[in-house]
Amino acid sequence: MVSTLSFHDFSWRGDRKWETASRWTVYGPIVVCFILLFSIVQIACGSIWVVQLGSNLSVPMIIQTLLIPGCSFFNAIPSIHLHMLLRNNPPKLALWFSSIFVIVYLTSAILSLAICVPSPTHIPTGLRHAECPQGIPGGPQHGVSRAIWDIMLVFQFFSVVAYAVHGAMAWKVRSVLKAKRESGEVEVVDPDEEERRRQRARDLWKQNYRMEGL
């Protein structure tokens, strides 16, 4: 892989629309960076979880432990690119993705808690052995460790909060832009500078995310 990454257009302040919409929406790029960090932690824990499950491994567990945080990771990368390099992150797009991940992560976390409640009477044994940590009443003797299970669950809830905050920011930015359009207020933007930044960001994306020599 050939990398010619340049941070000439990089900015922690990100998209000007997000920066000017409200005092708190300017932190959108920071929130996305936390989302990326949370996904990396979950992928690491999910990998350990899969190894510890052994013969109890199933397709749903691969989805929950690796696929979901993996999708979050690959969503965060282009989102950071839009925020900090292209500096033009459409709020509607951010709102859609944030809403989807809030639902997915919240469902996954609640499912883990519901399945692993003490003394279950209606939860299949195989499901508890795959989903629940060692040592809980009615749980598996061999499986994921309690520490990994706890970390995974905590970071799932962290992701729920982070995506909810990012979605709320996107909603705020979208509302502000809509109000400006309805009032006829138009923000003056240098078209040459905007196009230059867009083109450079596109070039950086192509140069740094293509595989060569394969």
Side-chain angles (χ1 to χ4, degrees):
M1 178 179 292
V2 177
S3 177
T4 56
L5 184 61
S6 169
F7 290 96
H8 182 270
D9 291 315
F10 178 88
S11 172
W12 284 104
R13 303 186 73 86
D15 189 346
R16 179 167 173 76
K17 296 188 297 293
W18 289 62
E19 180 183 354
T20 58
S22 177
R23 288 184 178 181
W24 58 287
T25 54
V26 69
Y27 297 107
I30 307 298
V31 174
V32 175
C33 287
F34 274 107
I35 289 174
L36 178 65
L37 176 62
F38 296 159
S39 68
I40 292 173
V41 173
Q42 291 174 71
I43 290 171
C45 290
S47 301
I48 298 173
W49 191 323
V50 167
V51 171
Q52 291 180 340
L53 280 180
S55 59
N56 290 320
L57 181 63
S58 61
V59 173
M61 288 311 302
I62 294 176
I63 294 175
Q64 187 175 3
T65 58
L66 291 178
L67 184 59
I68 293 176
C71 289
S72 178
F73 175 86
F74 286 108
N75 173 69
I77 293 295
S79 185
I80 289 174
H81 175 262
L82 289 172
H83 267 298
M84 299 183 184
L85 283 176
L86 186 57
R87 296 170 70 182
N88 183 24
N89 193 11
K92 186 176 182 180
L93 183 66
L95 179 60
W96 270 105
F97 276 106
S98 296
S99 301
I100 291 171
F101 276 104
V102 165
I103 295 172
V104 170
Y105 268 121
L106 189 59
T107 301
S108 177
I110 292 176
L111 181 65
S112 294
L113 287 174
I115 291 175
C116 299
V117 295
S119 304
T121 58
H122 58 284
I123 304 298
T125 302
L127 183 58
R128 283 181 62 82
H129 283 185
E131 185 75 40
C132 302
Q134 305 173 29
I136 68 168
Q141 296 297 321
H142 304 284
V144 63
S145 66
R146 184 60 184 264
I148 293 297
W149 189 87
D150 287 343
I151 293 172
M152 193 72 167
L153 189 64
V154 166
F155 275 88
Q156 283 182 337
F157 279 114
F158 281 172
S159 294
V160 170
V161 173
Y163 273 113
V165 170
H166 193 246
M169 289 178 170
W171 178 269
K172 176 64 176 180
V173 174
R174 185 170 179 267
S175 299
V176 170
L177 293 177
K178 183 179 179 181
K180 286 183 177 181
R181 286 194 300 268
E182 291 176 349
S183 64
E185 181 180 348
V186 179
E187 184 178 0
V188 178
V189 179
D190 183 352
D192 293 335
E193 174 64 20
E194 184 73 10
E195 180 57 31
R196 185 194 67 81
R197 193 165 60 223
R198 286 171 179 265
Q199 185 59 50
R200 184 167 183 80
R202 286 193 291 266
D203 293 342
L204 286 173
W205 180 265
K206 292 177 182 178
Q207 291 169 354
N208 287 279
Y209 296 99
R210 72 170 185 261
M211 299 294 292
E212 295 187 355
L214 297 181

